[in-house]
Amino acid sequence: MESNTKIPEHVSIIMDGNGRWAGKMGKERVFGHAEGVHSVRACAETAAEIGVKYLSLFAFSEENWERPQEEVETLMRLMMKSLSVELPTLLENRIRLRVLGNLSRLGDNLKKEIRKVEAASDLPDPRMTLIVFLSYSGKWDILQAAKQMASDFAGDPAGLAAATSDDFGKYLVTNGIPDPDVVIRTSGEMRISNYMLWQTAYSEFISVETLWPDFRKEAFLAALEEYSRRDRRYGKVK
Ligand code: IPE
Ligand code: IPE
Ligand code: MG
């Protein structure tokens, strides 16, 4: 890594291309998902090593529930297995895990396992927070926030009229987590696919051709070099 590389506080990744990776090997899509788990580990390790404070990963969207049942089940099984296998590594490396999304749609066992790993890794001074977006969509997040806020302010129209975008942000599932500095999407796609719509308002967007199962340390660091070269102006004149 170059010495002047800017380390973002929050790196987010839309992990895409597992199915295409498997297809290229002449295998079933689920084989790509299993291989992708190794990329999660590689990126989490690298991010923690270089001082990233928040690494968030889009693992499963609300729209992904529409995939064939067998694929959905495999993804949920992989999630369940990874949670229990990775807990010791998370603790060893002082990494806190958060799982965010419409978790009411998950099975009871998976919900229980998520709560267990979140509680066990809820360290007071973590080296890094790893956020997994599961059964998440940006529109769902904004809608659930709006509903909660409307309910909280039901008797207080003046308070509602005075509310700021920061006030609204507190109702999103990412409350307390800084907005992503950079969103990396693998597999060459250039869309946001209903990911963090509100929180990415000023994130740098990087699309890389690499398919997710091939996205390991070197590719991750190369994407951060690209981020370092970006000039963030936030609408102002420099
Ligand atoms: C990303 O890979 C994993 C999930 C969205 C769950 P895909 O499964 O979308 O792989 P492609 O895009 O079909 O190659
Ligand atoms: C986006 O990938 C969602 C995740 C990575 C979890 P998709 O493969 O589902 O997105 P589209 O369908 O190409 O937009
Ligand atoms: Mg895809």
Side-chain angles (χ1 to χ4, degrees), residues 2-229:
E2 287 166 31
S3 57
N4 57 353
T5 303
K6 280 184 270 173
I7 304 297
E9 184 182 21
H10 182 174
V11 178
S12 193
I13 308 179
I14 301 177
M15 310 183 287
D16 200 8
N18 293 353
R20 277 164 281 171
W21 185 90
K24 280 204 320 194
M25 316 270 290
K27 303 209 171 168
E28 299 287 319
R29 295 176 55 79
V30 294
F31 190 77
H33 298 317
E35 191 60 26
V37 174
H38 299 290
S39 299
V40 170
R41 189 179 246 261
C43 290
E45 258 174 31
T46 308
E49 228 169 71
I50 64 173
V52 169
K53 283 291 173 197
Y54 298 86
L55 174 68
S56 59
L57 305 171
F58 198 9
F60 191 88
S61 70
E62 285 247 90
E63 289 77 12
N64 290 151
W65 287 112
E66 305 299 324
R67 291 190 179 193
Q69 196 188 342
E70 192 198 322
E71 182 170 348
V72 171
E73 279 169 9
T74 303
L75 284 163
M76 293 302 149
R77 223 178 305 121
L78 273 175
M79 182 59 61
M80 184 79 179
K81 187 173 151 215
S82 304
L83 283 170
S84 58
V85 170
E86 299 298 337
L87 177 59
T89 318
L90 293 175
L91 296 178
E92 248 166 62
N93 293 291
R94 288 196 298 117
I95 296 174
R96 174 174 64 177
L97 182 84
R98 301 279 313 275
V99 180
L100 303 179
N102 187 0
L103 305 186
S104 65
R105 298 183 72 174
L106 303 180
D108 285 342
N109 285 343
L110 183 53
K111 271 192 285 201
K112 224 196 269 169
E113 189 66 20
I114 289 170
R115 276 196 292 268
K116 186 184 113 190
V117 178
E118 280 188 329
S121 70
D122 190 14
L123 309 157
D125 180 28
R127 181 147 75 119
M128 184 178 85
T129 301
L130 176 65
I131 302 144
V132 175
F133 284 92
L134 189 59
S135 186
Y136 177 85
S137 86
K139 286 190 180 182
W140 165 81
D141 195 4
I142 292 170
L143 187 61
Q144 67 77 27
K147 286 176 181 172
Q148 270 193 66
M149 191 170 180
S151 146
D152 279 4
F153 281 88
D156 181 12
L160 185 60
T164 63
S165 61
D166 282 349
D167 295 330
F168 182 75
K170 295 196 175 81
Y171 287 92
L172 296 166
V173 291
T174 47
N175 179 29
I177 298 166
D179 289 343
D181 296 293
V182 54
V183 176
I184 301 164
R185 183 164 186 157
T186 57
S187 83
E189 305 296 354
M190 298 198 191
R191 55 178 169 267
I192 200 78
S193 297
N194 207 356
Y195 192 32
M196 288 189 267
L197 298 177
W198 176 278
Q199 300 89 333
T200 55
Y202 262 107
S203 306
E204 292 297 327
F205 195 82
I206 294 177
S207 170
V208 299
E209 290 296 327
T210 313
L211 303 173
W212 177 247
D214 289 329
F215 193 84
R216 302 278 162 96
K217 182 171 187 170
E218 200 182 321
F220 182 75
L221 292 176
L224 295 192
E225 297 290 352
E226 160 78 26
Y227 167 79
S228 264
R229 291 191 289 271

